[in-house]
Amino acid sequence: YLNETYSSGSYLVGKTADVGGTWSNTESFQGTGDINISGGRGSFDASSIHSYYNTASPGDDVQDITLEWTPSADNWFAGCMARYQTTGGAQLLCFISSSTFTCVKLSSNTNWTGTTLWTATPTLAAGDRSSHTLRFKVSASGVMEVWLDGASVTLTGTTTDNTLTASGSKSGFWGRGGSSTQITADDGTATDTTAPTLTSPTGTGSTLTSAGGVTTDEGNGTLYMVTTA
């Protein structure tokens, strides 16, 4: 329900995503600057942390967010935001820096007030300048899972929190001292748009044969035809 590749525009705020709604700056207590877009990359400066949400809502109560980012300064900071409440700004924020890897349940977007839910061990150095992906998934029941560069991350602490309203909540990201080429957000809605089809058996008696052809977008199993002579 959300995909942004920074393929057009000059700034992020007010921009319509490739897939999804428009982008807004979420916070007032940190920097209120905008992300500059150039050459398929959105860049955020190193002076303060900026955060953004998209007006698109998931089709159900699942939010599965992936942020690609590349650090450009030693104080880099990257985070995925789930269950953002447009009234008040409460949210689940999973973020990583060279010194911290954690999830905080923020109670508002006007100050850094909230509860640390879980922590993990950072594996990236301050001087890292490689491209990385941070994936943060929150299930309909509030179960949290995290992946860094495709590898599952061990979380220590509270890994389930269902206190923030899922229905109608938004997704987004936080950043400082780096740039991004893509952010996506998926939900749990099935994406199958083509009905499976299977050809009929041909022949008679002992020469009976069958040939099956299945087309589906969902990868949800295999259809089998049993033929007897």
Side-chain angles (χ1 to χ4, degrees), residues 61 63 82-85 87 89-93 103-108 113-117 136 138-144 158-167 169:
D61 291 341
Q63 293 183 17
R83 295 205 178 180
Y84 179 75
Q85 312 291 301
T87 300
Q91 62 191 267
L92 295 175
L93 172 62
C103 180
V104 178
K105 180 172 65 175
L106 295 178
S107 58
S108 92
T113 300
T115 303
T116 298
L117 298 178
F136 180 40
V138 183
S139 74
S141 59
V143 177
M144 291 171 278
T158 302
T159 57
T160 300
D161 190 293
N162 207 27
T163 57
L164 296 181
T165 301
S167 178
S169 64

Side-chain angles (χ1 to χ4, degrees), residues 14-193:
K15 179 185 183 302
T16 300
D18 303 338
V19 176
T22 58
W23 290 99
S24 294
N25 184 285
T26 68
E27 87 296 330
S28 58
F29 68 95
Q30 294 284 351
T32 56
D34 203 348
I35 284 186
N36 296 319
I37 298 174
S38 178
R41 185 175 291 274
S43 300
F44 26 88
D45 63 42
S47 61
S48 58
I49 300 172
H50 305 292
S51 63
Y52 304 85
Y53 79 93
N54 192 274
T55 58
S57 295
D60 54 24
D61 291 341
V62 176
Q63 293 183 17
D64 190 349
I65 306 154
T66 301
L67 171 68
E68 183 283 331
W69 92 98
T70 303
S72 61
D74 287 351
N75 67 341
W76 59 265
F77 179 109
C80 294
M81 175 204 308
R83 295 205 178 180
Y84 179 75
Q85 312 291 301
T86 54
T87 300
Q91 62 191 267
L92 295 175
L93 172 62
C94 163
F95 71 90
I96 185 172
S97 69
S98 61
S99 59
T100 305
F101 198 171
T102 190
C103 180
V104 178
K105 180 172 65 175
L106 295 178
S107 58
S108 92
N109 63 353
T110 59
N111 57 72
W112 189 271
T113 300
T115 303
T116 298
L117 298 178
W118 53 257
T119 59
T121 302
T123 57
L124 306 176
D128 191 299
R129 298 295 183 266
S130 301
S131 174
H132 300 282
T133 57
L134 176 64
R135 179 184 171 196
F136 180 40
K137 181 178 181 180
V138 183
S139 74
S141 59
V143 177
M144 291 171 278
E145 297 176 272
V146 179
W147 295 261
L148 180 63
D149 295 331
S152 179
V153 175
T154 300
L155 311 179
T156 302
T158 302
T159 57
T160 300
D161 190 293
N162 207 27
T163 57
L164 296 181
T165 301
S167 178
S169 64
K170 312 301 180 185
S171 304
F173 67 100
W174 289 53
R176 177 181 63 195
S179 62
S180 172
T181 58
Q182 186 175 33
I183 178 171
T184 63
D186 297 320
D187 54 26
T189 304
T191 58
D192 190 16
T193 58

